[in-house]
Amino acid sequence: MMRFATLIKNPADWMKGAGPHSDVVMTSRVRLARNLRGYPFPGFSQERQRIELLERARPVVEELPEMRDGYSEDYTDLSKIRKQVLVERHLVSREHAARSSGCAVVVDRKQSISIMINEEDHFRIQGIRPGLNLTSAFEVVDRVDTELEGLLPYAFDPKLGYLTACPTNLGTGMRASVMLHLPALVLTEQINPVIKAIGKIGLAVRGLYGEGTEALGNLFQISNQHTLGEAEPEIIAQIEKVIEGVVRSEVTARAKLKEDHQTMLRDQIGRAFAILRYAHILTSKEALNLLSMLRLGADLDLVGNCDRSLIDMLLLEIQPAHLQLNAARELSPEERDSMRAELTRARLQSIDGPGSFPTNQSNPGGTTSTPNDE
Amino acid sequence: MKCDVCENEATVFLTQIINGQMTTVNLCEACSKAKGVTEETGFGLAEAFLSPSHRADSDMMEIVCNACGFTASQLKKIGRMGCPECYAAFRDGLDGLLRNMHKGTRHVGKRPSHLSVITPQLLPRQRNTVVAEAPPPPPVPAASPPPLAPDIAKLRAELDLAVSEERYEDAARLKSEIESLQPKASK
C-alpha cells in the first residue's frame, strides 16, 4: 500500500495532464453513491455497525484491480490536516473528512479514483479526469462499480434503482460535475445570466468546494441534480453539451476582452502578477483571485514563460492544509498568509511576467517540484 | 420585490422561525439555487408527508421502518432515509416527492448484472399508533435506533423464500453470503 507522503508528493494525473478545453475546464468528476443491504445508512447507524461494514468492505475495495497498491487509510489514523489535504485535492468530500471512526478512503495510485467508505452512503466512488471528459471519468467509476457489485450485495430496487440515504441521489446515484475557470465571463459581467440559464435546465452551480461555498478564483462547479428517470449516458451527454456552450461563451468573452479592452486586461494581469510575485502577506481569497487573473494571462499568451500547470499546482499548494502539511505543523492564519506569499514568490520566480515582449519563448517553467520516482 | 442578494426579481420567499425569531428572505431563482434553499430534501419531504390527504388518515399514526426503526418524523426532520428498506416503509407519498426532485420516478439507468438485489416491497410494513400527546422522538437519530435485525437471520429468511420459489441462483448466492458472514461473526 502507498503511504500518505508518497500520495501527496506525486501530483495526480489530473493535475499534470491536459484534457479537452483545459484552458476553461479544470476537471471532470463523476461519483456514484452505493449502499449495501442489511446495514442502516451511515447517518443513522451506530458506530459498531459502521465499523462492521468497514471491516467487511475495505479489504474488498482494496483488492479491486484498479485500487491495488493504492492508498488506503482508516480515518482514526488520519490527522485533521491530512484529511483536509485530501479535501483540497478533491479526493474526499468535506462531509466525509468531518467523520472519523468507521470511515476510510481508498485512492488508486494515479489518484484518479477514490472510494469513500461510510460517507453519507456506504460507498462514494469517484473518478476524476483533467479537462472536459465526463465520459472517461464515468467509464472508470462504472468499471469499479461493476467489479464491486459482484463482490458485495448492493441495495438496488428495480423501480427506484440504487437506494441511497438521500432521495435526491436515488436511481443512478450519479453526480457528474465539472470545474470551470470563467474569468472572462465574470469580468464582462455575463456570469449571472449564464448561471441563471444553467439553473433553469436542472443543473446546479456551486463554488470551489461544493455546496454552499463561494466561487473564489472565478472557479465554478456545474453538476446534475436529477439522478432518477434518466440513464447515465444521457445525463452526461446533457451536461457536456451545456458545458461546451459555456466554454464557447468564455472563449468568446476572452477574445473580446483581448481585442476591445487590451489595456484593462493587461493592467489587471500585470497587477495580479506584481502582487503575487512580490507580496509578503497573501490571504487565501486574494491569492486565488489573483492566480485566476494570471491563469487567464497565461491562456491568452499575455504572460511570458508561464506554464498553466504551474499555476494549477500553486492553486493547490497555497491551500491552508497543504501549507500546514508543508510546514509540518499547525499554522495560525497570519502565519499561513505569510507562508503562502513566500511559496508564491518562489514559484513565480521563473516567470518573465507580463510585458510588451515577444511571446514565442517556448521554454517551460523550471521551478515546479521535481518529478519523484519514489 | 427585489432579490436580497442581487438585483433580480425575487421569486422565492423564505420565512424561517428559529427560537421564536422570524426572519424573511426574498431571493431570485438563481440566488436561491446558489444558496441551496430550493434543495427539495427538506421542503419537499415536509410537503409530501404533511399533505392534507396524508394528514387526514394518519391521525398521529407513525409509520416505522421494520428493518431499522426509523420513523416518518425523523425522515421529515432530516430528509434522509434510515436504511435501504425505508424506501418500502415510507413508500406513501414517495412518488410525489420524487416527481418534484427528479426527471421521472422510475430508474432507467445501470442495473447490477446479477440481480442479487433486494426488493424492499417484500418487507412487511408496520404502523405504530402514537398517542396525540406523545413526546417527539429524540432529536438525535444516532441515540435512538434499535439494533438491526441480525443480518444472518434475515438472509436465512430470504434464502428460504428463494428456495420455496425455486429461485436457485438467488439461493446459491444467499447461501454463500451467509457463509461469508459467519466466520466474521465468530471472529
Side-chain angles (χ1 to χ4, degrees), chain A residues 37-38 142 145 156 159 164, chain B residues 82 87 107 110 118 148 173:
Chain A
R37 60 180 163 139
D142 184 38
D145 175 55
F156 180 87
K159 180 179 178 273
T164 52
Chain B
Y87 280 97
H107 176 59
K110 183 178 182 180
I118 39 160
L148 257 201
R173 183 195 38 80

Side-chain angles (χ1 to χ4, degrees), chain A residues 269-283 286-287 290-291 294 314 337-354:
Chain A
I269 295 164
R271 283 166 186 273
F273 177 78
I275 295 172
L276 291 168
R277 178 67 187 82
Y278 296 109
H280 281 252
I281 298 172
L282 271 179
T283 64
E286 184 178 21
L290 295 174
L291 281 170
L294 197 60
L314 199 49
D337 291 351
S338 100
M339 292 196 73
R340 180 176 297 116
E342 191 184 321
L343 183 76
T344 308
R345 289 198 310 274
R347 290 279 185 272
L348 295 189
Q349 236 164 16
S350 64
I351 297 182
D352 296 342

